[in-house]
Amino acid sequence: MADATTSRLTWLGHAAVRIETSEGKVIYIDPWLKDNPACPESEKKGRKMDAILLTHAHLDHLGDTVELARQHQPQVICNHEISVWLESQGVENVVGMNKGGTVEVAGCRATMVSADHSCGLQDGDRIVYGGEASGFVLTLPDGFRVYHAGDTNVFGDMALIGELYRPDLAFLPIGGHYTMSPVEAAHALKLLRTRRVVPIHFGTFPILSGTPAELRERVAGLDVEVIEMERGGSWGGGG
Ligand code: NI
Ligand code: MN
């Protein structure tokens, strides 16, 4: 297990995360920025980026992908069904994949892993099939491994994610209602055996009522550090 990384991890509010690697590459995960009430004003436009990873197609995750892709031409990594839809919207450099697959992206390795959630894609006023929701384990250039769970309930095979990929840090949803609350997230950390967690997907709307304080109580007794980031705040980056 690694205790630090030379890459910088930034939480942009809700489920949006930016990773600036030690090699100067920029990866956004679930870039819902412009209309995200939890995204800091200075981050709403997005910066030059090399890659976007999408956990699923719900609008609070797909977010600004189409516009950002047109503007910055990043590689866009997502499930097969979302990739076909993005291409129909004129997005280029889309890499469709599925769970268990690993792709090289921006000097990192991204492995798509399971999530227990839905993935309908809103196309106008209809919902079309968007494949299945997923998470990602991202191996950074220095070997540090970040797990972004996407939206999910806890599920037993999180133990497999822990055994196979040994994440050093996990971004886990804790808001409840659409995802895990702190009760389930604490159990997820037991299954994953990950010792560092950044709570996300809470507080954006009143219904996402789980709190980092509650997670902290629930993991008392586990060897887990709850990293409470500010929205727009960062962790890692060396120096
Ligand atoms: Ni969702
Ligand atoms: Mn969501």
Side-chain angles (χ1 to χ4, degrees):
M1 290 245 179
D3 283 325
T5 176
T6 48
S7 296
R8 177 181 294 271
L9 318 178
T10 303
W11 183 39
L12 300 172
H14 203 60
V17 169
R18 178 176 56 229
I19 296 173
E20 292 153 280
T21 74
S22 44
E23 298 172 340
K25 302 285 188 190
V26 176
I27 300 171
Y28 277 75
I29 305 175
D30 289 354
W32 182 44
L33 308 177
K34 192 168 39 90
D35 297 331
N36 175 355
C39 181
E41 209 53 46
S42 61
E43 297 283 4
K44 282 184 184 275
K45 282 189 180 153
R47 298 187 190 160
K48 175 89 186 104
M49 60 190 73
D50 300 284
I52 294 175
L53 307 186
L54 293 177
T55 63
H56 65 297
H58 290 159
L59 285 178
D60 56 322
H61 299 259
L62 184 68
D64 309 337
T65 296
V66 172
E67 286 166 46
L68 292 171
R70 283 183 187 144
Q71 197 179 348
H72 300 289
Q73 280 84 46
Q75 266 194 302
V76 182
I77 314 292
C78 58
N79 77 22
H80 168 70
E81 288 78 5
I82 300 171
S83 78
V84 171
W85 183 83
L86 285 173
E87 282 169 350
S88 80
Q89 304 298 302
V91 176
E92 294 173 356
N93 303 321
V94 186
V95 181
M97 64 183 300
N98 223 316
K99 297 167 194 175
T102 296
V103 296
E104 302 280 339
V105 57
C108 302
R109 289 162 57 81
T111 302
M112 185 176 276
V113 297
S114 293
D116 180 11
H117 191 68
S118 62
C119 190
L121 210 163
Q122 199 159 339
D123 192 87
D125 56 3
R126 294 182 318 139
I127 298 238
V128 299
Y129 180 66
E132 291 189 4
S134 67
F136 283 99
V137 176
L138 195 61
T139 306
L140 304 178
D142 60 5
F144 192 88
R145 288 176 174 182
V146 176
Y147 169 44
H148 188 300
D151 280 357
T152 189
N153 188 12
V154 66
F155 52 96
D157 284 352
M158 282 182 170
L160 271 182
I161 295 173
E163 284 168 27
L164 276 170
Y165 311 117
R166 304 195 176 286
D168 297 298
L169 179 149
F171 287 94
L172 297 185
I174 65 158
H177 195 82
Y178 296 110
T179 71
M180 302 192 281
S181 76
V183 175
E184 292 80 14
H187 197 80
L189 287 159
K190 272 189 212 166
L191 293 170
L192 291 162
R193 292 187 292 164
T194 297
R195 285 165 35 199
R196 216 169 269 107
V197 60
V198 180
I200 60 172
H201 213 279
F202 68 91
T204 317
F205 309 106
I207 202 170
L208 307 183
S209 60
T211 64
E214 194 187 342
L215 179 64
R216 215 182 279 278
E217 279 171 34
R218 298 276 175 185
V219 299
L222 295 180
D223 181 18
V224 168
E225 180 190 0
V226 178
I227 301 171
E228 209 173 324
M229 279 191 193
E230 302 272 314
R231 291 163 174 87
S234 298
W235 187 89

